Amino acid sequence: MRETHLLLLVCGVLACFTLSLVKAEDPYRFYTWTVTYGTIYPLGVPQQGILINGQFPGPRLDVVTNDNIILNLINKLDEPFLLTWNGIKQRKNSWQDGVLGTNCPIPPNSNYTYKFQTKDQIGTYTYFPSTLMHRTAGGFGGLNVYARSVIPVPYPRPAEDFTLLVGDWYKNNHKNLQQLLDSGNTLPFPDAILINGQAHSTFSGDQGKTYMFRISNVGHSTSFNFRIQGHTMKLVEVEGSHVIQGMYDSLDVHVGQSLSVLVTLNQAPKDYYIVASTRFTKQVLTATSVLHYSNSQSSVSGPLPAGPTYQIQWSMKQARTFRWNLTANAARPNPQGSFHYGKITPSKTIILANSAALINGKQRYAVNRVSYINPDTPLKLADYYNIPDVFSMDTIQANPTEGPAFYGSSVMPTSLHDFIEVVFQNNENTIQSWHLDGYDYWVVGYGRGQWTQASRNTYNLVDALTRHTAQVYPNSWTAILVSLDNQGMWNIRSAMWARQYLGQQLYLRVWTSTKSLANEYDIPSNAILCGKAVGRHA
C-alpha cells in the first residue's frame, strides 16, 4: 500500500513537471501565404500588384512576444521572391532574414517555410519583398508584436488598434521601374502617397475613447509628416522602444520607420481629416483618410491641417525629443534603462558615407565608394561552406576615402560582443534613411555638416531610444551605438529601395570562432541552396 502511494506521488510529480514543461514552451503560430499577381486600383486605374492570399496590402501579422512563427510562403510569381521582416531581430538566426545576402530566393512555383521567433520584442513593425523592385508592386504588410499578458505596458490599454501603412506609390509596373534603374536612370517622382494601399480610407471610433494608431512608412523614397485634424497624438512607442510620452500635433516618419501614438476622441462628434504629406520634396504629395466618430453629426470639412514641408531643423529638433523611457519595461520585466549604453567605450568607430555615383555612365549608389552587387551565392552560404571568391572583407573600408566608386560584394568584419559606434555621413542634398537587420541600436546624435570626434560632445548618452532605422538629414550626420550580440551576416542598407537596389548597402559579419548553438542556430534543414552552394547538404 505504501509502495502504491509512493508510486502515485512520483507519477503526480512527474505529471506536474511534464505539464510545466509543456506550459513553458512558447506558443506556435502557423501561416500559409500564397504570393500572386493581381489587378489593383489604388489610384483608380488598373495596375498589376503583388498580393498575399489575394490581399493588398498583405495580411496583418498580430503576434505576441516570444511567439514562434512558422510561415509557409508559396511563390506563384514569374520571378524569384523573398520577404524580409523589417525590425524583427532574428536572434541567432540570420538564416531567416529574407534578404539576398543570407537567403536564396524562392523560385517561381516553389515554396519556403520561414521559422523564426519574436524573441524579447514588442512593437510596431512591417514586412515587405526584398527581391528586385517587387516592393513597388505590393507584398508588404503590418507586423505587430504585443506584450505578454504578464508584462504591463506603460499606458492604458486602447479601445482598438489601427495599423496605417503609409507610403509613396507609382502607377508604373514594377518591371518597368526596374528596367529604368537597370538602364542607368533614376526613378521619377512618385505619383501619389497612399494609406493602406488606398487614396481614401476611414477609421471609426467612439467619442471619449482612446485608440492606438500604428504608423509605418512603407514607401520607397519619401519621408512624410502625419497629423490628425483637431487632435493631438501621444507618442508611446517607436520600433520596440517605449518612449517618454509627449504630445505632438504632427510627426515625421521616414522611410522604413514605424511608431505608435495614442489618440483620444475628445472633440465634437464629427468627422476629421487624417493627413500624411511628403517632406523635403519640391512637389508635396498628400494622402487623406477620415477619423469618423461613431456619433458623428457631420462629414469631414474645412481646410486640411497644415504641416511642415522642408524645414530640416524643425524635423531634427523633433527627432531629439524621442527619448527612451528608462523606467518602463519592454518585452521583459527589467527596465529598458538597465543596460547603461552610455558608459561603454566603443571598440571600433565605423563611418559610412553614401554617394550618388556614376559607374560606366550608369547611375549607381555607393557606401565608402563601394556600390554593392549581389553575388549568385548568398554571402551567408558562402561563409558557412567556406566557398571562396564570393565576397571580400577587404573591399570596403571603415572610413570614407577619396576616389571613384566601384562594384563589390562588400562585407565588413566585426566580432561577436563588440560594442561599436557607427556614423552615417550624408554629403548629399537629399535625406537618407538607414536600416540594420538583426538589431536595434541607440540613435545618440544628429548634426549638420561633417561629423568630427568633437561631435561626441553632443551625444545623448543617457536616454537615447533604440530603433532599427535612422534618418540622416541632407548634408548632415547621424551617430548610433550598437551592441553586437547577435551572430550572423546582417544587412546594412538604405531603406530607400532604388538606392538599395543600385548599391547603397553592405553586410556586417558578426563572428566568433566558438561554434555554439548558444551563439547561432545551424543552417535550416529546408534551406534553399543556389549558386556555388548547389549540391551541398543543408
Side-chain angles (χ1 to χ4, degrees):
M1 185 71 175
R2 182 178 177 183
E3 290 78 3
T4 303
H5 179 74
L6 182 60
L7 180 61
L8 290 173
L9 180 62
V10 170
C11 289
V13 170
L14 287 174
C16 291
F17 180 68
T18 303
L19 183 61
S20 68
L21 287 179
V22 172
K23 286 186 174 180
E25 188 171 11
D26 295 311
Y28 280 75
R29 296 178 184 264
F30 296 88
Y31 304 90
T32 298
W33 284 2
T34 302
V35 182
T36 60
Y37 291 124
T39 303
I40 56 176
Y41 300 83
L43 298 179
V45 295
Q47 64 181 115
Q48 184 187 62
I50 291 178
L51 314 181
I52 299 179
N53 288 357
Q55 300 179 41
F56 169 77
R60 191 175 88 179
L61 270 180
D62 287 337
V63 300
V64 176
T65 299
N66 292 350
D67 278 356
N68 293 285
I69 311 302
I70 311 296
L71 192 148
N72 181 27
L73 189 72
I74 303 169
N75 177 20
K76 291 294 185 180
L77 304 185
D78 57 356
E79 298 176 311
F81 185 82
L82 278 175
L83 283 181
T84 189
W85 316 96
N86 196 42
I88 299 302
K89 295 177 187 175
Q90 304 287 4
R91 300 295 299 177
K92 303 182 288 186
N93 199 16
S94 63
W95 299 108
Q96 306 292 338
D97 199 24
V99 292
L100 290 174
T102 56
N103 295 92
C104 296
I106 306 166
N109 296 310
S110 186
N111 73 295
Y112 176 74
T113 299
Y114 289 91
K115 300 176 183 179
F116 62 92
Q117 187 179 26
T118 52
K119 183 69 173 174
D120 293 333
Q121 281 189 269
I122 55 98
T124 302
Y125 305 98
T126 58
Y127 63 84
F128 59 83
S130 65
T131 38
L132 305 176
M133 290 299 289
H134 290 146
R135 183 172 174 175
T136 60
F140 56 81
L143 199 172
N144 302 326
V145 185
Y146 293 88
R148 291 176 292 165
S149 59
V150 295
I151 306 295
V153 294
Y155 48 82
R157 184 180 299 276
E160 190 176 347
D161 271 22
F162 299 125
T163 292
L164 284 75
L165 306 172
V166 185
D168 48 32
W169 189 256
Y170 293 95
K171 293 179 183 176
N172 211 334
N173 183 278
H174 74 277
K175 292 183 179 180
N176 295 336
L177 296 174
Q178 181 182 323
Q179 188 174 18
L180 272 176
L181 297 177
D182 290 341
S183 62
N185 298 299
T186 58
L187 292 184
F189 190 70
D191 294 302
I193 186 170
L194 303 176
I195 299 177
N196 289 349
Q198 304 174 61
H200 304 283
S201 52
T202 299
F203 301 88
S204 299
D206 298 330
Q207 189 174 24
K209 292 184 178 180
T210 298
Y211 295 83
M212 176 171 280
F213 287 74
R214 297 178 179 267
I215 306 157
S216 297
N217 189 329
V218 295
H220 316 105
S221 61
T222 56
S223 306
F224 66 80
N225 180 266
F226 183 87
R227 51 207 182 268
I228 301 177
Q229 182 185 27
H231 293 74
T232 56
M233 301 174 288
K234 179 184 286 187
L235 182 67
V236 294
E237 178 258 334
V238 174
E239 293 161 21
S241 284
H242 292 311
V243 299
I244 294 177
Q245 297 173 11
M247 303 302 296
Y248 295 84
D249 293 320
S250 70
L251 286 161
D252 279 355
V253 186
H254 306 280
V255 179
Q257 294 183 345
S258 298
L259 53 80
S260 298
V261 298
L262 295 178
V263 178
T264 300
L265 275 56
N266 55 8
Q267 300 299 306
K270 59 186 291 283
D271 291 355
Y272 296 87
Y273 284 115
I274 296 173
V275 180
S277 57
T278 56
R279 295 281 273 120
F280 317 115
T281 57
K282 291 181 179 179
Q283 178 186 349
V284 177
L285 300 175
T286 300
T288 60
S289 293
V290 172
L291 175 59
H292 171 72
Y293 279 52
S294 59
N295 59 341
S296 172
Q297 301 299 313
S298 58
S299 58
V300 67
S301 62
L304 298 181
T309 53
Y310 201 84
Q311 298 94 323
I312 294 172
Q313 200 61 35
W314 183 96
S315 185
M316 189 181 292
K317 183 178 179 181
Q318 182 183 85
R320 291 190 181 113
T321 68
F322 294 1
R323 295 159 54 205
W324 229 15
N325 184 339
L326 299 181
T327 60
N329 60 268
R332 292 180 288 182
N334 53 302
Q336 289 181 147
S338 58
F339 185 85
H340 301 291
Y341 71 92
K343 296 182 179 180
I344 303 172
T345 301
S347 57
K348 180 187 296 186
T349 296
I350 299 169
I351 302 175
L352 301 177
N354 52 273
S355 60
L358 291 178
I359 301 180
N360 300 328
K362 290 187 175 183
Q363 179 67 66
R364 295 288 299 185
Y365 298 97
V367 186
N368 290 3
R369 295 176 53 210
V370 184
S371 185
Y372 183 87
I373 51 173
N374 282 301
D376 292 336
T377 308
L379 310 175
K380 183 67 180 171
L381 288 176
D383 198 26
Y384 182 79
Y385 289 119
N386 295 313
I387 301 173
D389 302 322
V390 174
F391 66 87
S392 169
M393 289 189 286
D394 299 321
T395 303
I396 190 166
Q397 303 303 308
N399 288 281
T401 56
E402 295 294 328
F406 57 94
Y407 292 115
S409 300
S410 39
V411 175
M412 190 168 286
T414 59
S415 297
L416 184 64
H417 302 307
D418 274 357
F419 188 82
I420 66 172
E421 175 186 40
V422 180
V423 178
F424 297 112
Q425 179 67 55
N426 179 17
N427 299 323
E428 298 183 61
N429 292 322
T430 58
I431 191 166
Q432 304 292 315
S433 189
W434 283 94
H435 173 83
L436 171 57
D437 277 352
Y439 286 90
D440 50 21
Y441 47 70
W442 290 271
V443 186
V444 293
Y446 303 93
R448 303 300 297 273
Q450 293 292 311
W451 179 90
T452 66
Q453 292 190 20
S455 302
R456 294 182 179 127
N457 296 329
T458 68
Y459 284 4
N460 177 357
L461 297 178
V462 177
D463 60 358
L465 84 164
T466 62
R467 64 186 316 167
H468 57 68
T469 305
Q471 73 274 20
V472 191
Y473 294 97
N475 297 299
S476 300
W477 55 266
T478 295
I480 68 172
L481 297 176
V482 192
S483 177
L484 298 180
D485 59 354
N486 195 10
Q487 185 175 336
M489 188 78 73
W490 301 108
N491 192 213
I492 303 178
R493 63 174 177 266
S494 172
M496 298 167 170
W497 209 245
R499 296 185 75 104
Q500 175 275 153
Y501 181 76
L502 291 181
Q504 192 173 319
Q505 60 172 308
L506 68 146
Y507 281 80
L508 201 66
R509 181 182 186 247
V510 182
W511 187 79
T512 177
S513 59
T514 304
K515 184 173 176 58
S516 168
L517 293 178
N519 294 331
E520 185 175 29
Y521 298 145
D522 283 336
I523 184 172
S525 60
N526 67 331
I528 301 173
L529 302 180
C530 57
K532 295 180 180 180
V534 169
R536 312 263 179 159
H537 294 292

